């Protein structure tokens, strides 16, 4: 499947900073994903709309978010973000 261009805002610098300061769970998952363990290519800390997703695969349109302390008690925010990101593929 051809990569779909995903719009993003001024999050490019934040994404770069997040890549440099990854959490341990993000580092551990990235060690496997970057080797194409699933036979597909992932990118990390990808700006999408007004959000930055931890990992994203253009080929299958899959975003992976690793929950941690920054996600505590944010169910409504997470649901809103998921809904907006899902509209990109509908």
């Amino acid at each position: 499947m051809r990569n779909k261009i995903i719009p993003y805002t001024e999050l490019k610098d934040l994404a770069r900073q997040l890549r440099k300061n990854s959490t341990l769970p993000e580092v551990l998952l990235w060690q496997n994903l970057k080797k194409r363990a699933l036979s597909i290519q992932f990118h990390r800390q990808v700006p999408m709309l007004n959000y930055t997703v931890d990992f994203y695969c253009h080929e299958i349109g899959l975003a992976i978010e690793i929950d941690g302390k920054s996600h505590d008690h944010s169910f409504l925010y997470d649901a809103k973000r998921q809904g907006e990101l899902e509209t990109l593929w509908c």
Side-chain angles (χ1 to χ4, degrees):
M1 173 185 239
R2 190 169 168 229
N3 287 355
K4 182 177 180 180
I5 297 173
I6 305 298
Y8 64 92
T9 58
E10 303 296 323
L11 297 175
K12 200 171 181 181
D13 291 334
L14 175 61
R16 189 174 293 123
Q17 183 180 21
L18 290 171
R19 282 192 292 272
K20 291 179 181 178
N21 299 303
S22 298
T23 65
L24 180 59
E26 290 170 349
V27 170
L28 295 174
L29 180 57
W30 179 242
Q31 288 175 345
N32 288 297
L33 293 178
K34 72 179 180 180
K35 297 175 187 172
R36 293 187 181 213
L38 303 173
S39 301
I40 50 178
Q41 182 180 18
F42 278 86
H43 300 274
R44 59 189 179 129
Q45 301 302 340
V46 179
M48 298 175 72
L49 298 178
N50 293 315
Y51 308 101
T52 303
V53 297
D54 291 333
F55 302 98
Y56 185 70
C57 175
H58 293 278
E59 297 172 58
I60 60 174
L62 175 65
I64 299 174
E65 189 67 24
I66 303 297
D67 285 348
K69 288 192 182 281
S70 66
H71 295 272
D72 287 350
H73 311 292
S74 61
F75 176 79
L76 294 176
Y77 174 84
D78 288 346
K80 179 180 181 252
R81 178 188 61 213
Q82 181 171 339
E84 290 178 13
L85 293 174
E86 285 177 353
T87 63
L88 292 173
W89 291 97
C90 294

